[in-house]
Amino acid sequence: MKGINEGDGMLKTQAVFSGFSVNDLGKAKEFYTNVLGLTPSGESMGLQLQLPGGGSLFIYPKGDHQPATFTVLNFVVENIDEAVDGLGKQGVTFEHYDDMPGQQDEKGIARGRSAGQGPDIAWFKDPAGNILSVLQNK
């Protein structure tokens, strides 16, 4: 099977980026740059952000925005407790879910590593209600 950039009619791309909508671009810019520390790289028709590791994200305003009901962006961190505590000091509230296969602790962290069920992960929302997460693999 040939890859996405190989011949025989396959799609040939120059770059790939992810995107999602928000209801207030100003609030999104404040949150993603000042709270999460992402670097803006453009604001034509929306907000272009550079992601760690070289990727990019496009956030665009949408009048009838509906928040994503799934995780749209995951931030891999070295120490999830430090990340959750630091974001909490900036006013970020972590989600608690009742339908999880494992328990979340009082911080909202699902401790998957100790249970052999994947990474430690905690979910939170951006100002538009989109679900984001911080997670620790190691």
Side-chain angles (χ1 to χ4, degrees), residues 1-3 6 10:
M1 184 170 155
K2 294 192 176 199
E6 297 180 24
M10 299 297 281

Side-chain angles (χ1 to χ4, degrees), residues 40-60:
S41 61
E43 292 187 49
S44 176
M45 298 177 56
L47 178 62
Q48 186 81 29
L49 297 165
Q50 291 305 122
L51 298 174
S56 66
L57 172 65
F58 182 68
I59 298 174
Y60 56 93

Side-chain angles (χ1 to χ4, degrees), residues 55-108:
S56 66
L57 172 65
F58 182 68
I59 298 174
Y60 56 93
K62 187 175 180 199
D64 62 347
H65 165 75
Q66 293 294 314
T69 58
F70 52 88
T71 308
V72 296
L73 195 58
N74 297 285
F75 292 85
V76 179
V77 297
E78 282 188 39
N79 185 310
I80 195 164
D81 287 285
E82 288 178 6
V84 167
D85 293 345
L87 288 170
K89 288 177 184 174
Q90 294 189 69
V92 172
T93 302
F94 286 85
E95 300 295 307
H96 291 264
Y97 297 106
D98 294 330
D99 58 350
M100 299 284 300
Q103 295 287 335
Q104 287 176 277
D105 65 17
E106 66 282 349
K107 292 182 178 184

